[in-house]
Amino acid sequence: MAVKRKVKVKVKAKVKVKAKAKSRRIAKPARKPARKAPVRRAAPKTATPTARNKAARPVARPKPASLPEQPAPGERIGVVSHYYAKPMVAIVKLETGTLRVGDTIHILGHTSDFSQRVESLQVEHLAVNEVGPNDDFGIKVVQHAREHDVVYRLPAS
């Protein structure tokens, strides 16, 4: 019996054909920049109004008189430097004088304006009965106080 032999076929290597070189592209001429609209300027004001313009103008009203300055409610003693909302405590920097438990103070600011009796004073989380100049202390307040509100001591009545 004859045995068939496998014949190895040699495969020819494919030859890569170089593509034709791309022709150079010619650059298109640049576009002209868009023309900007001219700046619109206000019309020059006329020296004297005409009869037509005079009738259309509103009548000049006098400015309302400003409210008279209210005198300070008492002696200025300090300024609120911070406010804590949850315990309703204001930190006050005492500028002049002294403040004791039982005194009446008035806190005045842009949006706050109220008076109250001093129930407690604290310096460094310790209760004290009196604070002096240049002390930072905490005071329990009855309303919201804001930073930079001014604290006045009212005269005893």
Side-chain angles (χ1 to χ4, degrees), residues 78-80 107-112 144-151:
V79 176
V80 175
I107 297 179
L108 181 65
H110 184 69
T111 58
S112 53
H144 187 86
R146 288 155 183 84
E147 290 183 10
H148 310 294
D149 286 357
V150 181
V151 181

Side-chain angles (χ1 to χ4, degrees), residues 9-145:
V9 178
K10 291 184 179 178
V11 178
K12 291 184 180 178
K14 290 185 179 178
V15 178
K16 291 185 179 178
V17 178
K18 290 185 179 179
K20 291 183 180 179
K22 292 183 180 178
S23 61
R24 289 187 181 176
R25 290 187 179 179
I26 300 172
K28 293 182 181 178
R31 285 185 171 179
K32 292 182 180 177
R35 187 172 174 187
K36 293 183 179 179
V39 177
R40 297 184 76 185
R41 299 175 192 262
K45 294 184 178 181
T46 56
T48 56
T50 61
R52 175 191 266 172
N53 291 344
K54 197 172 190 179
R57 286 188 177 179
V59 178
R61 294 187 181 114
K63 292 183 179 179
S66 61
L67 297 174
E69 283 291 320
Q70 294 180 352
E75 175 193 357
R76 178 183 169 137
I77 58 170
V79 176
V80 175
S81 60
H82 195 74
Y83 175 75
Y84 295 99
K86 283 291 184 177
M88 290 187 71
V89 171
I91 306 301
V92 178
K93 170 79 173 174
L94 198 64
E95 296 169 345
T96 59
T98 60
L99 185 66
R100 294 185 174 126
V101 174
D103 287 349
T104 305
I105 61 169
H106 186 90
I107 297 179
L108 181 65
H110 184 69
T111 58
S112 53
D113 186 9
F114 63 94
S115 296
Q116 75 171 53
R117 187 169 173 268
V118 176
E119 298 294 331
S120 67
L121 295 171
Q122 285 191 358
V123 176
E124 300 290 329
H125 301 286
L126 298 174
V128 293
N129 289 331
E130 183 178 354
V131 289
N134 298 326
D135 279 345
D136 287 332
F137 63 93
I139 182 170
K140 188 142 176 78
V141 291
V142 294
Q143 289 185 19
H144 187 86

